Amino acid sequence: MGPFLPDAVRQHAAERPEALAVTEGARTLTYLDLDRRSNRIAQALLAAGLTAGAHVGYLVRPGLMSAEVLLACAKAGLVATPLNWRLAQPELVAVARDAELCAVITQEEFVPGARAVVAVLPAVPLVVDGEPGPDASRYESWLNAAPDDDPGFGGEGHGDVVFLQLYTSGTTGLPKGVQLTIGNVHAGEIQLVEMGWTQQSVGLNAMPVFHIAGTGWLVSALSAGAHTVAVPDLVPQRVVELMERHRVTHTFFVPAVLHLLTQLPDIRERDFSALELIVYGASPITPALLRRSMEIFGCDFYQKYGQTETTGSATRLLSADHDPDGPRAHLLRSAGNARDDIELAVVDPLTGEPVTSGVVGEIVTRSHHVTPGYWKRPDENAKLFTEDGWLRTGDAGYLDAEGYLFITDRIKDMVITGGENVYPIEVESALAEHPAVCDVAVFGTPDEKWGEAVTAAVVLNADAGPVSAEDLVEFARTRIASYKKPRIVHFVTELPRNPSGKILKRVLRDDLGGR
């Protein structure tokens, strides 16, 4: 399967020392630079008294620091804990307390949040890239003072060691620390070959590293020996400029970002001739957006379905299955099937027994990508796994006769109206086909007669002509069963999302449920 992350970088540094590893703005690290700098960071953390399994928190945007700190933790036997810099300080402090951080590394713009964290964690060292202020170390001076001797951890024998802890987005409650091992994040030869990664590839990393998509994408690129171009701040116009300038071949986008990019006024005039593959996932995509994206970018598309708890990997829809005009065009509505090294099933959520093809149930999975569990959450872990080790995803879906997975929604997001089950993605896909609809989310709200009413929050295109709620309801009725059509339509200026791009339906229910 190829070397684990630390050994992969060690190998590239030895064999291709001048090869480009990571670019952020005007700065670029070669693989030799990355190897040596990560060694120094690892040694500096160990010199500060951190021992195996200690958590290192870092508040950084995608870029050089995110790569070298992640790699340093893997080399030193420490647990990289990227922090969500979009959180309010009380939320950030709560995560830091939960993780029991032993060191905090931050970029200057996030110093207030970092200081709030160390204020409640006495004696935890603070390292700042920029002006450190009192009682903190300057990042470059701190790492340069350490030797570049490789601590030697993170090789083939350390696959079961936890080295990464990501906190769930918290769409439904308090974030939980998902523990991931070196073996969990291992991209593996199968995945790298399927995506066409080579040492000549150029990968754009536009996702935050506190999201599995951002860190996972970085690990894939580094494992392949490719060049990563980091996007610290996701500005659509800036993204396409970087794609052109660096001749990007591979990138990962969530559907919300694809939507933003395809709405740029000059997007069809851009040069994407070097682009080979766009991987998308993390939230459902509507058929209309997928077709538009395929037309504009003109490259292969590859969908990944998974969660933080599965290291982002459960199924994939291969490029060969993206054929909107072919006899198997219906597969574009699916999340693909599982690789040979991943087990996947759909079971009755009450009995745990497998259901037959075409029947909706809970999606469960087993593989080397599955987390060993949440950090210090024994009760949650008991709910997460079945007795025989299958991970319960909490997602609802069904498998067709060929083993392709069709996700209907989160089980908890299913709307039960008049005794019928309605999965929001079906309604969202129907409404998204309307030319006036820019964005849409469907959820259930209390209804005295029906139990729940199918409710839609709709963002209209800026140039949309007059359109009423009745127009959209009638439009949906021609595409889906009548009981699935929205009974209530709210027009909103934007949809609330978490940092990973997922729509916060809980917020919509709270804000619009009584209206």
Side-chain angles (χ1 to χ4, degrees):
M1 291 175 64
F4 290 129
L5 173 64
D7 278 352
V9 172
R10 290 166 177 140
Q11 179 179 325
H12 295 309
E15 298 176 355
R16 307 164 52 242
E18 300 306 313
L20 304 185
V22 185
T23 292
E24 177 188 351
R27 294 179 61 203
T28 296
L29 297 181
T30 66
Y31 272 92
L32 182 61
D33 295 332
L34 178 60
D35 190 44
R36 287 179 173 173
R37 285 174 65 88
S38 59
N39 287 343
R40 291 183 183 277
I41 296 168
Q43 293 290 358
L45 289 167
L46 294 173
L50 275 68
T51 56
H55 289 68
V56 178
Y58 50 103
L59 283 155
V60 301
R61 293 181 182 272
L64 308 185
M65 288 180 70
S66 62
E68 56 196 20
V69 173
L70 176 74
L71 188 58
C73 289
K75 288 181 172 182
L78 305 173
V79 181
T81 311
L83 302 173
N84 183 347
W85 36 264
R86 291 171 175 159
L87 295 177
Q89 284 190 13
E91 297 172 306
L92 194 60
V93 167
V95 168
R97 283 184 187 274
D98 183 81
E100 300 174 4
L101 298 182
C102 296
V104 177
I105 300 172
T106 185
Q107 291 170 325
E108 188 172 3
E109 64 177 308
F110 305 125
V111 164
R115 287 203 173 278
V117 166
V118 298
V120 300
L121 298 172
V124 169
L126 174 63
V127 182
V128 179
D129 183 31
E131 292 300 324
D135 305 321
S137 300
R138 188 186 300 271
Y139 183 70
E140 289 295 330
S141 302
W142 171 76
L143 73 88
N144 284 324
D148 70 356
D149 300 326
D150 192 328
F153 197 82
E156 191 70 29
H158 300 138
D160 292 334
V161 175
V162 173
F163 96 108
L164 177 64
Q165 187 159 305
L166 297 174
Y167 276 79
T168 57
S169 303
T171 58
T172 59
L174 294 175
K176 299 182 288 288
V178 180
Q179 301 177 98
L180 297 174
T181 68
I182 290 175
N184 286 155
V185 302
H186 182 46
E189 186 176 355
I190 297 175
Q191 187 174 166
L192 295 179
V193 169
E194 280 189 354
M195 293 186 183
W197 283 106
T198 71
Q199 294 179 352
Q200 288 69 49
S201 298
V202 181
L204 188 83
N205 195 339
M207 293 295 293
V209 296
F210 52 77
H211 187 286
I212 186 56
T215 293
W217 192 248
L218 175 64
V219 170
S220 294
L222 294 178
S223 298
H227 177 200
T228 291
V229 177
V231 183
D233 194 11
L234 205 157
V235 178
Q237 197 72 26
R238 175 70 171 157
V239 168
V240 295
E241 289 170 359
L242 288 172
M243 291 173 71
E244 285 185 309
R245 181 186 310 163
H246 292 282
R247 305 287 292 166
V248 165
T249 62
H250 291 64
T251 187
F252 179 99
F253 293 131
V254 296
V257 173
L258 280 172
H259 172 75
L260 291 173
L261 296 179
T262 59
Q263 296 301 305
L264 289 173
D266 63 344
I267 191 67
R268 296 178 186 273
E269 301 165 18
R270 295 289 188 167
D271 178 12
F272 300 117
S273 57
L275 194 58
E276 299 174 12
L277 184 73
I278 289 179
V279 180
Y280 63 97
S283 61
I285 191 169
T286 62
L289 175 57
L290 181 56
R291 283 174 174 268
R292 187 165 71 247
S293 300
M294 293 176 67
E295 176 191 350
I296 288 172
F297 292 105
C299 64
D300 285 342
F301 277 68
Y302 179 113
Q303 181 187 168
K304 287 193 74 174
Y305 159 67
Q307 305 172 326
T308 307
E309 292 86 346
T310 66
T311 324
S313 296
T315 63
R316 83 287 196 240
L317 186 67
L318 296 172
S319 301
D321 290 325
H322 285 73
D323 185 8
D325 299 315
R328 291 159 62 81
H330 67 282
L331 292 180
L332 291 178
R333 300 194 303 273
S334 80
N337 52 14
R339 299 194 315 258
D340 290 342
D341 58 340
I342 295 176
E343 293 181 89
L344 186 84
V346 175
V347 302
D348 185 302
L350 297 178
T351 67
E353 293 298 316
V355 298
T356 57
S357 69
V359 175
V360 173
E362 182 175 14
I363 302 163
V364 297
T365 183
R366 286 193 303 202
S367 76
H368 74 87
H369 292 298
V370 169
T371 176
Y374 298 122
W375 166 253
K376 294 192 172 181
R377 298 288 183 97
D379 292 342
E380 294 283 353
N381 288 333
K383 299 174 185 175
L384 183 62
F385 296 101
T386 65
E387 291 183 359
D388 49 354
W390 290 83
L391 181 136
R392 296 185 176 102
T393 66
D395 286 336
Y398 65 90
L399 292 168
D400 72 4
E402 295 181 282
Y404 282 82
L405 177 66
F406 290 76
I407 300 170
T408 49
D409 236 301
R410 293 291 289 175
I411 286 178
K412 64 180 178 296
D413 284 339
M414 181 178 70
V415 181
I416 303 177
T417 180
E420 297 284 358
N421 296 343
V422 176
Y423 292 96
I425 187 62
E426 296 180 87
V427 190
E428 290 163 355
S429 295
L431 291 172
E433 296 288 339
H434 193 288
V437 173
C438 173
D439 209 358
V440 58
V442 171
F443 50 97
T445 54
D447 184 272
E448 186 175 348
K449 180 178 180 181
W450 302 105
E452 284 187 298
V454 178
T455 303
V458 176
V459 180
L460 296 177
N461 288 313
D463 58 352
V467 60
S468 67
E470 291 74 19
D471 293 334
L472 295 181
V473 171
E474 179 60 24
F475 183 84
R477 191 189 63 78
T478 64
R479 287 160 171 77
I480 54 178
S482 181
Y483 71 86
K484 297 179 182 180
K485 69 180 184 296
R487 296 184 179 276
I488 302 169
V489 176
H490 297 284
F491 293 103
V492 297
T493 55
E494 64 178 352
L495 299 178
R497 298 179 184 271
N498 70 12
S500 65
K502 294 179 182 177
I503 296 171
L504 296 171
K505 294 189 178 180
R506 169 175 50 85
V507 174
L508 289 171
R509 289 190 196 96
D510 291 345
D511 291 348
L512 303 177
R515 290 201 243 163

